[in-house]
Amino acid sequence: MSLRYQASQLKRKAKRTLHRLRTPIWPDTLREALDRVTAGKAETMFVHSSLSSCGHFVGGPDGVLDVLGEFCDTLCLPTHTYCYPESPDTPGPVFDARTTPSLVGRL
């Protein structure tokens, strides 16, 4: 990969990041979008999110969860624990939903 290509990719990524940071997303904006999608209320919502890809959400992660919770009875967000064996010869760690921490994301 050439240095020129790497520099152009870095510049493009920086522009996207700056745009997201300059464009705040307000809780009411998310409410309006969810209202259109759910027609007011959903029994269960599965949400796969990347908060950093969305932009600057005014209210942070807690604000996002608060708004999502207004639109459903059950909110499901996938998580990844990366419980891989230390080597091919050893068994992998046991996953326990109550105690195994998520290792990714804020939501």
Side-chain angles (χ1 to χ4, degrees):
M1 202 179 303
S2 74
L3 286 177
R4 177 175 279 170
Y5 177 76
Q6 289 175 346
S8 70
Q9 293 294 77
L10 188 59
K11 183 178 177 181
R12 207 169 96 218
K13 185 175 182 179
K15 281 184 175 183
R16 283 194 314 261
T17 300
L18 287 173
H19 175 73
R20 285 193 299 265
L21 291 173
R22 286 190 308 251
T23 310
I25 301 169
W26 297 90
D28 285 340
T29 306
L30 180 57
R31 279 187 190 94
E32 291 168 10
L34 287 171
D35 193 45
R36 285 193 305 270
V37 173
T38 65
K41 186 95 171 170
E43 184 177 322
T44 304
M45 279 193 342
F46 289 88
V47 177
H48 185 272
S49 64
S50 172
L51 188 59
S52 63
S53 294
C54 294
H56 172 69
F57 191 87
V58 178
D62 290 336
V64 172
L65 294 174
D66 289 343
V67 173
L68 290 171
E70 293 172 16
F71 283 84
C72 65
D73 296 323
T74 303
L75 179 59
C76 304
L77 295 111
T79 187
H80 303 281
T81 59
Y82 298 103
C83 293
Y84 297 116
E86 291 180 24
S87 74
D89 301 328
T90 60
V94 175
F95 173 80
D96 182 340
R98 293 168 292 166
T99 60
T100 304
S102 170
L103 299 178
V104 297
R106 293 207 171 252
L107 296 178

